[in-house]
Amino acid sequence: MKSYITRYCSLLFIVLMWNVADAEIPGFDPANAPADNGLALATEASRRGEGFKDSQSAMTMTLFDGRGNQLVRNMRSKTLEMNNDGDRTLLFFENPADVRGTAFLTHSHDDGDDDQWLYLPALKRVKRIASGNRSGAFMSSEFSYEDLGNDEVGKYTYRYIGETLLNDIACYQLERTPKTTSGYTRHIVWLDIAELRAQRVDYYDRGNRLLKTLTTHDFQQYLDQYWRPSMMRMVNHQNGRSTQLQWRDYRFGVGLALRDFDRNAMRDIR
């Protein structure tokens, strides 16, 4: 059992950390309205991730059905940063054979619904994902099409909840509510105070019941600035299933261009 002095010192360190971090966040002040502070946190978290231009990585997706069965798929991801709009992301499957060549393209937007397309090689056609269908499961995983979009600040309204500990990590906690078409009523987000990285997100369904929880693990820093998790896990509390994404081989500034994120390019991925 920790001594009283140890517990007191730990609490004092966390309080001091909060005070220093707060001073570095423009527009954040305990005296402000919760909506203003929530927006300030989201804006600063987004700003710290800007400027990477483009990136690509490899990913392993593992589906767990809750009965001990697993299904493993390997993918690659490309992202292009946009200056006046949301980022563009392309995911494509490399194996197993039944999903090889399947591609998923997202054009995120600062406000309004994202544009999303799915290419199915068996049908040899690109299918647009309608806004009303974005809550559907992506390739039988616990990630929806909506979850795989980019969390642009303008897509939500915010409410700052307070400071808390999550697995001994000092965090800001805030609520964000989608302004665009969504399968969720709200999200509860834990941002670590040290770097404003999303450590956990709880998703509530249209009946305002807890549906899923996303957790992120083993963050790595690239180019001395950009943090990326090595693992993400989405747990569905209502059906007992989960999906894990393991990321590796991050590369930045690889020279991607708009043509690499065109709908026609989805057919020609190698």
Side-chain angles (χ1 to χ4, degrees), residues 2 5-23 160 162-172 191-194:
K2 293 183 179 179
I5 293 177
T6 300
R7 293 196 301 271
Y8 175 79
C9 290
S10 298
L11 179 60
L12 180 60
F13 172 78
I14 292 170
V15 170
L16 290 173
M17 186 177 180
W18 283 338
N19 290 337
V20 171
D22 292 354
Y160 173 63
E163 296 85 13
T164 186
L165 286 176
L166 176 68
N167 300 324
D168 293 326
I169 300 173
C171 292
Y172 296 114
L191 297 175
D192 67 65
I193 288 175

Side-chain angles (χ1 to χ4, degrees), residues 142 210-213 234-243:
E142 296 314 305
L210 178 61
L211 174 60
K212 298 186 296 189
T213 295
M234 183 75 84
V235 176
N236 190 313
H237 302 287
Q238 297 184 12
N239 63 23
R241 296 193 291 265
S242 63
T243 299

Side-chain angles (χ1 to χ4, degrees), residues 36-176:
D36 294 333
N37 279 335
L39 178 58
L41 286 170
T43 300
E44 177 63 11
S46 177
R47 185 198 66 78
R48 294 185 185 185
E50 294 174 351
F52 65 91
K53 296 183 179 178
D54 62 54
S55 67
Q56 64 182 32
S57 60
M59 181 193 347
T60 297
M61 171 187 281
T62 306
L63 283 64
F64 302 88
D65 67 0
R67 298 188 298 273
N69 300 313
Q70 301 180 19
L71 179 62
V72 178
R73 296 165 170 172
N74 290 303
M75 311 162 59
R76 296 198 69 84
S77 173
K78 297 180 180 181
T79 300
L80 180 67
E81 186 177 33
M82 303 296 291
N83 292 326
N84 299 312
D85 200 1
D87 296 343
R88 300 189 177 186
T89 303
L90 178 63
L91 302 175
F92 55 97
F93 289 84
E94 295 184 313
N95 58 69
D98 62 330
V99 295
R100 183 181 299 124
T102 300
F104 177 59
L105 176 65
T106 297
H107 290 184
S108 291
H109 301 297
D110 287 331
D111 52 24
D113 294 330
D114 293 342
D115 292 311
Q116 296 182 313
W117 300 269
L118 183 68
Y119 173 65
L120 301 171
L123 300 178
K124 296 184 178 180
R125 73 182 187 93
V126 175
K127 172 187 176 182
R128 184 182 180 90
I129 307 300
S131 297
N133 295 331
R134 294 193 308 124
S135 61
F138 172 69
M139 300 296 289
S140 302
S141 75
E142 296 314 305
F143 286 85
S144 68
Y145 295 103
E146 178 180 354
D147 299 333
L148 297 175
N150 296 299
D151 290 328
E152 311 297 341
V153 174
K155 291 181 179 178
Y156 306 95
T157 60
Y158 299 89
R159 182 175 66 88
Y160 173 63
I161 298 173
E163 296 85 13
T164 186
L165 286 176
L166 176 68
N167 300 324
D168 293 326
I169 300 173
C171 292
Y172 296 114
Q173 191 177 43
L174 62 136
E175 179 183 70
R176 64 187 186 195

